[in-house]
Amino acid sequence: MSISDSDTSSQGEYKNFRQISRDRLLYEMLRTAKRGDSKSTWKVLIMDKVTVKIMSCSCKMADITDEGVSLVEDIYKRRQPLPTMDAIYFIQPTKENVVMFLSDMSGRSPLYKRAFVFFSSPVPRELVSYIKRDTTVKSRMGALSEMNLEYFAIDSQGFITDDERALEELFGDEESSRKGDACLTVMATRIATVFASLREFPLVRYRAAKSLDPTTMTTFRDLIPTKLAAGVWNCLTKYKASIENFPQTETCELLILDRSIDQIAPIIHEWTYDAMCHDLLNMEGNKYVHEVPSKTGGLPEKKEVLLEEHDPVWAELRHAHIADASERLHEKMTSFVSKNKAAQIHGSRDGGELSTRDLQKMVQALPQYSEQIDKLSLHVDIAAKINKIIREMGLKEVGQLEQDLVFGDAGTKEVINFLRTKPEVSRESKMRLLMIYAAIYPEKFEGDKIAKLMELARLPTEDMHAVYNMRLLEGSSDTKKSSTAFSLKFDVHKKKHAVRKDRTDEEAKWQLSRFYPIIEELIEKLCKGELPKNDYPCMNDPSPTFHGSSQAASVHTNQGPPAQSMRSRRTATWARPRNSDDGYSSDSILKHASSDFKKMGQRIFVFIVGGATRSELRVCHKLTTKLKREIVLGSSSLDDPPQFITKLKMLAAHELSLDDLQI
């Protein structure tokens, strides 16, 4: 039996990234395991700890059951023999997994009747030979294929390689680069499977290593995007030669960055509904524990809910500013009540304007209380909880100073004043404020300015580590005062040059939405063909026929301002009129979600080593509509501020010279 790569049958319709991943798992893998003589037979699905997570990110249990799977098993757990049933193995191509599989299917009494084996990434030749040597197992196999799908689709336009320790292994105090290289090898393999899955061949761009002069040692950290790009390219060239129907010329663009490109995005308070939920509510992944009134009148019942794209209210509001989301929820409740006579009678007793909570109680009391209203009620509760936390923690003032710091409207003086006059502000808020300060003014580490600020903030030692470790995320050009290429420090003249135009009254409403991640500028430049080739070189020269960007060529050699210049002033898009079709408002996102994807240009993939943020994922959704190209965000993990700060604390706590790290 020859090993094959599962092929995608083209349906002629454009599907988003996550839909393609789901379809491949369900139809290419599970459905093709149906034997012609046993279509009604139930099957067992056997996975390892990685592939079970891959499957759960893209498919629901009902989807799997619909494809004839009655039982899902862990390959490493003791399993009951089911000799009359076929088994589908979806596993990583490791020696341990292959040994377990052969143990299951060899001998006189195999666990299953027949086995269909699908590997998540390319199988080493020696493992294929090892399998084929066992003739009894070979005769019991219905398939031996490479699915080449070893990524985790966490969003319709987002995936992770699920390396939670990437920040520690790549940016930490590790003199040997062995761990880092191993980490990047796995990451490259998993990224490459994205393109194998989608049958896309990218033009690979990456952030180049920067050095001040020829005498400056280039560190391992400086070379992270370069090394990863080389690893991805190596995998892609193998796919190009081995996978049937794999494109031979570029069909999309891939931009590889690392977390040093934007140190502020993972720390600053992001004011959208989605980000606030994950930042403030102690959620476990997308799981939220919701208290619902007891039907018997007793204590409230606790109910676990998933805040995901299949929830229409969540899908509509997740990228809206929290104040906007709260208003929209009130409008939805008001609209429901106005259309329901029973609710009007129930609410007319007291008179006066009703609050969102009053409306919620009225609706819950109705006999036709539906699943739709159940969802609405859930989000009313969540929004109320978030708004209460914002008030109690004084987050509006914190957020204002954070954004003023980022846009150059505040500096050391304002930070000192805030810390002196606001002792009641939470320890976490003060720590995050000083982390942002440290990212903007890295030269302050050289004196004792940051140490004095932390003393004024009364930060404990572990929080000080998080602030000090911001230095480990600096690009090499940030390590000396003389360099400005990647510094986040504000220039006086630049500040004057970047003053915003006057806002309308409505634009002033969401002033805490000024901040945007650096990748927004980079993606727009990439799309226009304005990303400087010296700063972001290509692994492969584009084919003459490649027109990924809106310009004739996607790669320019122009030497414009550095790509990581400080953020310019932009009009707060949250503040635009509700009916504006900017791709940013929740209405606009919904309107375009089901639009004709056939009109889309070629995909753009952006991969950030060291963790991506919800603000960056939001930007990819926004720009998909604006640029008419599907933007897919990838990263080693998706981190909310609490998780990112925990990881940062695990890096080197003591003083470290970047020049000590050598390849």
Side-chain angles (χ1 to χ4, degrees), residues 209-237:
K210 295 283 178 182
S211 58
L212 298 173
D213 54 66
T215 62
T216 305
M217 178 67 71
T218 304
T219 69
F220 178 82
R221 288 188 204 122
D222 298 330
L223 292 170
I224 287 169
T226 310
K227 283 173 170 277
L228 183 59
V232 172
W233 180 246
N234 185 42
C235 294
L236 289 171
T237 51

Side-chain angles (χ1 to χ4, degrees), residues 17-29:
F17 167 75
R18 197 183 211 170
Q19 287 171 325
I20 293 171
S21 307
R22 175 183 178 272
D23 288 359
R24 289 201 67 222
L25 290 167
L26 294 178
Y27 309 139
E28 273 184 54
M29 187 173 75

Side-chain angles (χ1 to χ4, degrees), residues 587-606:
D587 284 346
S588 178
I589 290 166
L590 273 187
K591 186 163 70 176
H592 290 284
S594 58
S595 65
D596 186 5
F597 272 92
K598 289 177 185 175
K599 294 176 184 174
M600 286 284 187
Q602 293 174 321
R603 287 186 177 98
I604 294 174
F605 294 83
V606 180

Side-chain angles (χ1 to χ4, degrees), residues 23-242:
D23 288 359
R24 289 201 67 222
L25 290 167
L26 294 178
Y27 309 139
E28 273 184 54
M29 187 173 75
L30 300 186
R31 190 169 289 182
T32 54
K34 285 185 177 180
R35 294 166 58 199
D37 58 344
S38 60
K39 285 186 178 177
S40 61
T41 305
W42 288 99
K43 299 179 289 292
V44 183
L45 175 59
I46 297 149
M47 296 180 282
D48 58 37
K49 65 179 182 180
V50 168
T51 54
V52 74
K53 191 169 179 181
I54 292 168
M55 183 68 81
S56 64
C57 281
S58 294
C59 308
K60 298 197 173 297
M61 194 62 210
D63 299 329
I64 298 168
T65 306
D66 287 345
E67 294 305 320
V69 173
S70 61
L71 186 62
V72 176
E73 296 266 39
D74 181 339
I75 194 169
Y76 286 103
K77 288 188 178 173
R78 192 183 179 102
R79 285 164 276 128
Q80 179 187 353
L82 298 165
T84 61
M85 293 180 75
D86 289 346
I88 300 168
Y89 285 80
F90 179 37
I91 52 178
Q92 291 178 284
T94 64
K95 182 75 180 285
E96 295 80 7
N97 281 349
V98 168
V99 167
M100 289 298 291
F101 159 68
L102 292 174
S103 170
D104 289 350
M105 296 304 297
S106 61
R108 292 184 178 181
S109 305
L111 288 186
Y112 311 106
K113 186 176 182 180
R114 209 160 181 225
F116 296 81
V117 183
F118 298 90
F119 289 109
S120 56
S121 55
V123 195
R125 284 184 183 178
E126 59 269 23
L127 285 185
V128 178
S129 302
Y130 186 49
I131 293 169
K132 289 182 176 180
R133 277 204 299 269
D134 194 322
T135 52
T136 57
V137 171
K138 190 177 173 184
S139 65
R140 292 166 181 161
M141 288 176 64
L144 181 61
S145 298
E146 291 175 346
M147 276 300 286
N148 290 318
L149 201 162
E150 201 173 289
Y151 56 86
F152 307 82
I154 54 164
D155 184 86
S156 59
Q157 289 171 223
F159 72 93
I160 57 170
T161 55
D162 199 36
D163 192 340
E164 291 291 337
R165 297 190 64 183
L167 200 70
E168 180 185 350
E169 291 175 352
L170 297 172
F171 292 90
D173 182 10
E174 181 63 64
E175 290 186 12
S176 166
S177 64
R178 194 175 58 205
K179 267 188 186 178
D181 283 334
C183 174
L184 289 175
T185 299
V186 173
M187 207 178 287
T189 301
R190 291 183 175 176
I191 293 168
T193 68
V194 170
F195 299 99
S197 234
L198 273 62
R199 293 296 190 274
E200 294 264 29
F201 180 50
L203 175 71
V204 181
R205 307 280 299 272
Y206 59 94
R207 184 192 186 197
K210 295 283 178 182
S211 58
L212 298 173
D213 54 66
T215 62
T216 305
M217 178 67 71
T218 304
T219 69
F220 178 82
R221 288 188 204 122
D222 298 330
L223 292 170
I224 287 169
T226 310
K227 283 173 170 277
L228 183 59
V232 172
W233 180 246
N234 185 42
C235 294
L236 289 171
T237 51
K238 290 176 184 174
Y239 282 146
K240 201 175 175 183
S242 62

